[in-house]
Amino acid sequence: MLIQWFPGHMTKTKRMIEDHLKAVDVVAELLDARIPASSANPMVEELVKGKPRIVILNKADLADPRQTDRWVSFYRKRNIPVVPMSVGNGKNKKKLLSLIRETAKPILDKWYRKGLKNRSVRLMILGIPNVGKSSLINFLAGTAAARTANTPGHTRGKQWVRLSEGLDLLDTPGVLWPKFDDQTAALRLAATGAIAGDVFNPDEVVPVLLSSLAETEPQVLKEVYHIDDVNQDPQLLLEAAGRRRGCLLPGGAIDYDRAETAVLHDFRSGKLGKITLDPVPEEEP
């Protein structure tokens, strides 16, 4: 399987981001804490070009907290400010706002010396589709400032969102790279819902997801789907999961379509527990 997804509007989005970067002080890169590497857009560093940047590990409530801690250390060792985030968590919100202000302070001090004492911090949030960007903006603003949707590529156009905390956010559509050089990353993006469902085949994504869980989280398969032997062919794991979830056709045969949908829903909703699919890269000697 070769997953490719680069809707035409994303080319326009890339140009728009380049045009508006001069108007912002800080860029926040929003990643999925379950797949920080897979959800990182290779174009971001090129686009930012030295602009102060922070990393937000969103959906941290669905990720393995131990792995999230390791990812935080990974970014901090590279002098990249980072904060785990779960929309709805007030403490997370305070930490994020504090980090944004801290990162923007040198720029605000510069404006202060020029006589602009009450200038707001101008923030741009970049992230691939469906990593929760609109929901995060709504949470920070305390209102439905940006539209939200459960499908990738929903946000269109440009809008500024004024925050009471002295922050102006420039909301832009998510961007995704034009070619998946790493199909493992593509499969993980599909599993988390970052890639539209009509672009990939669940019958190829779900077995890979189950194989990954059998290797890294075998107890999950045992506890949720009552699979004693996780070292089976992924198709047999799917059959066992489908049977456990009641995905059966008349006569007792497995309804594979329903079984695949059930497994994806269980993973995305957190029913399988807090899971991180992307391991932290090993440190170079």
Side-chain angles (χ1 to χ4, degrees), residues 31-40 56-65 67-68 71 85 128-132 188-195 209 212 263-280:
L31 306 178
D32 187 323
R34 297 167 295 177
I35 50 169
S38 299
S39 59
I56 304 172
L57 297 175
N58 197 33
K59 303 184 181 181
D61 55 321
L62 296 175
D64 183 336
Q67 291 294 330
T68 298
W71 274 105
M85 187 76 196
I128 66 171
N130 220 35
V131 290
R188 289 172 178 169
L189 286 164
T192 59
I195 298 176
L209 173 60
S212 177
V263 170
L264 283 176
H265 177 269
D266 289 346
F267 171 68
R268 293 172 180 175
S269 66
K271 182 179 177 64
L272 300 184
K274 300 179 184 296
I275 297 173
T276 299
L277 295 179
D278 281 349
V280 178

Side-chain angles (χ1 to χ4, degrees), residues 120 141 143 145 160-164 166-169:
S120 294
T143 181
W160 283 97
V161 180
R162 170 60 59 89
L163 301 184
S164 59
L167 293 176
D168 288 341
L169 286 86

Side-chain angles (χ1 to χ4, degrees), residues 18 57 109 115 171 185 200 210 234 266:
E18 291 173 331
L57 297 175
D109 289 346
D171 182 31
F200 68 90
L210 288 171
D266 289 346

Side-chain angles (χ1 to χ4, degrees), residues 72-279:
V72 168
S73 297
F74 172 83
Y75 285 108
R76 286 178 177 169
K77 287 179 180 178
R78 286 153 182 77
N79 296 317
I80 300 175
V82 57
V83 60
M85 187 76 196
S86 298
V87 171
N89 187 310
K91 291 183 179 180
N92 287 174
K93 178 178 179 178
K94 291 180 180 178
K95 289 180 180 178
L96 174 57
L97 295 177
S98 176
L99 184 62
I100 293 171
R101 291 195 183 94
E102 180 182 341
T103 304
K105 189 177 185 304
I107 296 175
L108 293 184
D109 289 346
K110 177 182 175 181
W111 285 108
Y112 185 88
R113 290 192 295 270
K114 291 183 177 181
L116 294 177
K117 300 181 179 180
N118 297 315
R119 184 181 178 280
S120 294
V121 176
R122 295 175 179 175
L123 176 73
M124 178 185 287
I125 300 180
L126 297 180
I128 66 171
N130 220 35
V131 290
K133 188 156 59 66
S134 294
S135 296
L136 174 62
I137 292 175
N138 291 346
F139 178 55
L140 294 177
T143 181
R147 294 175 300 163
T148 59
N150 291 323
T151 54
H154 178 80
T155 310
R156 294 288 190 273
K158 173 180 71 72
Q159 56 182 324
W160 283 97
V161 180
R162 170 60 59 89
L163 301 184
S164 59
E165 294 86 353
L167 293 176
D168 288 341
L169 286 86
L170 176 60
D171 182 31
T172 58
V175 291
L176 197 67
W177 52 93
K179 180 180 180 181
F180 291 107
D181 294 322
D182 183 353
Q183 282 295 294
T184 299
L187 290 166
R188 289 172 178 169
L189 286 164
T192 59
I195 298 176
D198 56 353
V199 178
F200 68 90
N201 295 321
D203 60 350
E204 297 185 47
V205 172
V206 174
V208 173
L209 173 60
L210 288 171
S211 292
S212 177
L213 294 177
E215 181 179 349
T216 62
E217 305 285 346
Q219 74 284 357
V220 168
L221 300 183
K222 294 178 180 179
E223 293 173 3
V224 178
Y225 299 128
H226 292 196
I227 301 175
D228 294 326
D229 180 13
V230 299
N231 300 312
Q232 302 182 64
D233 183 277
Q235 198 66 17
L236 295 178
L237 296 177
L238 175 61
E239 290 180 7
R243 193 170 299 281
R244 180 64 185 173
R245 296 285 270 107
C247 303
L248 303 175
L249 295 169
I254 300 294
D255 186 333
Y256 288 102
D257 289 341
R258 285 178 56 204
E260 290 158 359
T261 299
V263 170
L264 283 176
H265 177 269
D266 289 346
F267 171 68
R268 293 172 180 175
S269 66
K271 182 179 177 64
L272 300 184
K274 300 179 184 296
I275 297 173
T276 299
L277 295 179
D278 281 349

